[in-house]
Amino acid sequence: MALHGALDYTNADRLREELTAAVGEGHRELLLDLSALSFCDSTGIRILLSVRKLLQERDGGVTLAGMNPRLARIFRTTGLIHAFTVEPDLTEAVGSLNARPGP
């Protein structure tokens, strides 16, 4: 799934609904392309963490690809960079997911 523009309190509920639908009951992994995401506030981060928690309960996780430098700095400063698999771009993220062993 690709995110673009700003992720904040004005659209976080919609994203929560879309992510919940995207992962459904049978999915364990989610890849988010953040290369076009210009801004993310604490509400957006909470959404990402809640989806991460859901997928971790299924022995899966969330991969974030293509973070801009500003967003990467926020994730590094807060320690959230360690809560997700982070790849520099979508191509490497897909390769990383394909290399993981199945269930």
Side-chain angles (χ1 to χ4, degrees), residues 72-96:
R73 186 175 61 248
I74 291 169
F75 272 68
R76 276 193 309 275
T77 302
T78 60
L80 290 171
I81 200 87
H82 303 292
F84 299 91
T85 300
V86 178
E87 297 291 348
D89 58 49
L90 191 56
T91 302
E92 289 194 39
V94 170
S96 173

Side-chain angles (χ1 to χ4, degrees), residues 8-102:
D8 58 23
Y9 71 95
T10 66
N11 55 17
D13 286 335
R14 190 176 91 216
L15 177 63
R16 180 190 325 268
E17 292 169 6
E18 290 178 9
L19 290 177
T20 301
V23 297
E25 288 194 23
H27 293 90
R28 296 177 343 114
E29 298 290 339
L30 177 66
L31 170 56
L32 293 174
D33 179 1
L34 305 182
S35 59
L37 187 67
S38 59
F39 176 78
C40 183
D41 73 1
S42 61
T43 308
I45 289 172
R46 278 195 300 273
I47 299 296
L48 298 178
L49 287 170
S50 69
V51 171
R52 173 188 167 264
K53 180 181 177 193
L54 172 68
L55 293 176
Q56 280 189 316
E57 291 169 357
R58 300 176 186 174
D59 295 322
V62 176
T63 300
L64 306 176
M67 272 195 229
N68 67 45
R70 180 179 179 200
L71 190 56
R73 186 175 61 248
I74 291 169
F75 272 68
R76 276 193 309 275
T77 302
T78 60
L80 290 171
I81 200 87
H82 303 292
F84 299 91
T85 300
V86 178
E87 297 291 348
D89 58 49
L90 191 56
T91 302
E92 289 194 39
V94 170
S96 173
L97 281 173
N98 288 335
R100 290 185 191 165

